[in-house]
Amino acid sequence: MARSTHSQKTTAKRTQARGEAFAQAVLNITLLQLAELGFERLSIPAVAQLAQVNKTSIYRRWPTKADLVRDALSLALGPSADAAPDTGSFRGDLLALARTAAALMQSPVGKALMRITLSESAHPELQALALAAQAKASAHAPVVVLMRAVQRGEIRAGVDPALILFTLAGTILHKVFVEHAPVSETFLEQAVDVVLNGASSNL
Amino acid sequence: MARSTHSQKTTAKRTQARGEAFAQAVLNITLLQLAELGFERLSIPAVAQLAQVNKTSIYRRWPTKADLVRDALSLALGPSADAAPDTGSFRGDLLALARTAAALMQSPVGKALMRITLSESAHPELQALALAAQAKASAHAPVVVLMRAVQRGEIRAGVDPALILFTLAGTILHKVFVEHAPVSETFLEQAVDVVLNGASSNL
């Protein structure tokens, strides 16, 4: 057991690397297809064809479409979700969060999540999955940013801190999914400023 | 031609009324099915069964699914979209618009529109239809409200008036379609106040 030769180790490593490359390719194609077609029209044979792999290899690793989609979403939302920006000001931190949210919403995974989120009646288990993925994506960093702002006294009394984030996220959501317009840096700054400073001249 | 008898007129009216009732029933069921299943899984035979009408009667009036869906969306977005609230204050008008938007987003037609909006790659012609329907729903009243606020000097210099509406609409969008939470009057007031007065304590 402990006495594997050098070449056995190398072979094992190569197999593992091939396995990883295979999984990455399949999961990336899955994500793109999910964003393009939605869960219902996503087909494992089509994913296999686009990823240029054998469909039985996919079924061996992911017995159902839901298994495949779960892993694709986990992979896409995996890293980088946890870094809380720390620019020194609430405005700077909100802008950083807004950039991250805009990038996510404009990516295939963001679109895939929105499609799944909207089809909950048809797929309750996938809906739960998408909500969990969204919660994961929006959990740590925004909470850290809000807590810092509360501690610095940067949030107006009577304002629900969560509402600040949802207002900002919603504004970007509207731009991407309702207006279907590109998100510019100027737009993000204007949105942050409206949320922070308000739109009323009566102050 | 001008000499139709009383009974002919009555029959014609009855036929027309039956035709209207038939169309209303079919279009209402279409809307519910669209919200529940999306365009792809919507089926005319299923609509016929739920509306308890003959499917050939549906095909006679709406040769394709897209024809049926177009009329269902037009009917749902038809009236009431044009009444601009006039409460005397920008805040009151925004709150009234927010209530209308929240009601629309929580209705079957709102959900149907969002589903179609998200699936544009699969159905460009339906996507255009949904965007036109949304534009119609959000065209007149908000513009009147914004113009009045601009004339009264109620909007802070440098703020894009349209952004005020999109921020508010987006916040409700997030509540309904991402958080899947009910929209309360308190939430709408808080959202309007954040958009108008801002969240920052630095003022």
Side-chain angles (χ1 to χ4, degrees), chain A residues 12-34:
Chain A
K13 270 187 197 165
R14 268 195 208 131
T15 306
Q16 205 187 349
R18 250 203 319 271
E20 277 312 295
F22 161 80
Q24 283 275 352
V26 170
L27 294 177
N28 284 338
I29 295 286
T30 299
L31 211 56
L32 292 171
Q33 289 285 94
L34 198 59

Side-chain angles (χ1 to χ4, degrees), chain A residues 40-41 118 153 156 195 199 201, chain B residues 40-41 118 153 156 195 198-199 201:
Chain A
E40 271 141 51
R41 292 168 73 211
L118 280 177
R156 191 160 59 82
V195 171
S201 66
Chain B
E40 272 140 53
R41 293 168 72 212
L118 280 177
R156 192 160 60 82
V195 171
S201 66

Side-chain angles (χ1 to χ4, degrees), chain A residues 120-190:
Chain A
E120 86 271 42
S121 52
H123 299 284
E125 78 292 348
L126 263 184
Q127 165 69 4
L129 180 67
L131 282 177
Q134 285 170 336
K136 188 182 165 194
S138 65
H140 180 65
V143 169
V144 170
V145 165
L146 281 181
M147 276 175 57
R148 266 199 238 109
V150 168
Q151 282 165 357
R152 289 176 190 142
E154 287 181 293
I155 297 179
R156 191 160 59 82
V159 171
D160 172 6
L163 185 61
I164 302 174
L165 293 179
F166 295 159
T167 304
L168 193 55
T171 309
I172 305 167
L173 202 67
H174 194 278
K175 177 64 83 179
V176 175
F177 292 109
V178 178
E179 297 170 66
H180 291 276
V183 175
S184 70
E185 179 68 15
T186 309
F187 166 76
L188 291 179
E189 292 201 18
Q190 285 179 336

Side-chain angles (χ1 to χ4, degrees), chain A residues 6-142:
Chain A
H6 176 71
S7 90
Q8 278 177 322
K9 275 186 197 161
T10 310
T11 308
K13 270 187 197 165
R14 268 195 208 131
T15 306
Q16 205 187 349
R18 250 203 319 271
E20 277 312 295
F22 161 80
Q24 283 275 352
V26 170
L27 294 177
N28 284 338
I29 295 286
T30 299
L31 211 56
L32 292 171
Q33 289 285 94
L34 198 59
E36 178 79 8
L37 304 174
F39 181 77
E40 271 141 51
R41 292 168 73 211
L42 179 85
S43 105
I44 289 185
V47 167
Q49 196 173 15
L50 287 165
Q52 297 180 296
V53 301
N54 197 311
K55 70 181 174 185
T56 52
S57 320
I58 297 186
Y59 285 118
R60 206 177 301 128
R61 186 149 176 173
W62 299 281
T64 70
K65 211 160 78 168
D67 294 325
L68 181 63
V69 166
R70 190 179 305 115
D71 273 13
L73 292 175
S74 298
L75 174 75
L77 290 165
S80 79
D82 264 352
D86 191 3
T87 64
S89 75
F90 189 30
R91 183 179 188 280
D93 289 355
L94 276 185
L95 200 49
L97 290 178
R99 282 189 203 110
T100 306
L104 176 64
M105 288 182 207
Q106 292 177 289
S107 72
V109 67
K111 197 164 177 183
L113 281 175
M114 274 307 289
R115 292 192 72 130
I116 293 173
T117 302
L118 280 177
S119 62
E120 86 271 42
S121 52
H123 299 284
E125 78 292 348
L126 263 184
Q127 165 69 4
L129 180 67
L131 282 177
Q134 285 170 336
K136 188 182 165 194
S138 65
H140 180 65

Side-chain angles (χ1 to χ4, degrees), chain A residues 35-37 40-41 90 105 111 114-115 117-123 127 131 134 152-160 163-171 173-175 177-180 187 190-191 193-203, chain B residues 35-37 40-41 90 105 111 114-115 117-123 127 131 134 152-160 163-171 173-175 177-180 187 190-191 193-203:
Chain A
E36 178 79 8
L37 304 174
E40 271 141 51
R41 292 168 73 211
F90 189 30
M105 288 182 207
K111 197 164 177 183
M114 274 307 289
R115 292 192 72 130
T117 302
L118 280 177
S119 62
E120 86 271 42
S121 52
H123 299 284
Q127 165 69 4
L131 282 177
Q134 285 170 336
R152 289 176 190 142
E154 287 181 293
I155 297 179
R156 191 160 59 82
V159 171
D160 172 6
L163 185 61
I164 302 174
L165 293 179
F166 295 159
T167 304
L168 193 55
T171 309
L173 202 67
H174 194 278
K175 177 64 83 179
F177 292 109
V178 178
E179 297 170 66
H180 291 276
F187 166 76
Q190 285 179 336
D193 286 339
V194 161
V195 171
L196 279 181
N197 306 327
S200 167
S201 66
N202 301 332
L203 283 170
Chain B
E36 178 79 8
L37 304 173
E40 272 140 53
R41 293 168 72 212
F90 190 30
M105 287 182 208
K111 197 165 177 182
M114 275 306 289
R115 292 193 73 131
T117 302
L118 280 177
S119 60
E120 84 270 43
S121 51
H123 301 284
Q127 165 69 5
L131 283 177
Q134 285 170 335
R152 287 178 193 138
E154 288 181 293
I155 297 179
R156 192 160 60 82
V159 170
D160 172 6
L163 185 61
I164 302 174
L165 292 179
F166 295 160
T167 306
L168 193 55
T171 309
L173 202 67
H174 193 277
K175 176 65 84 181
F177 292 110
V178 178
E179 297 171 67
H180 289 278
F187 166 76
Q190 285 179 337
D193 286 338
V194 162
V195 171
L196 279 179
N197 305 327
S200 167
S201 66
N202 299 333
L203 283 171

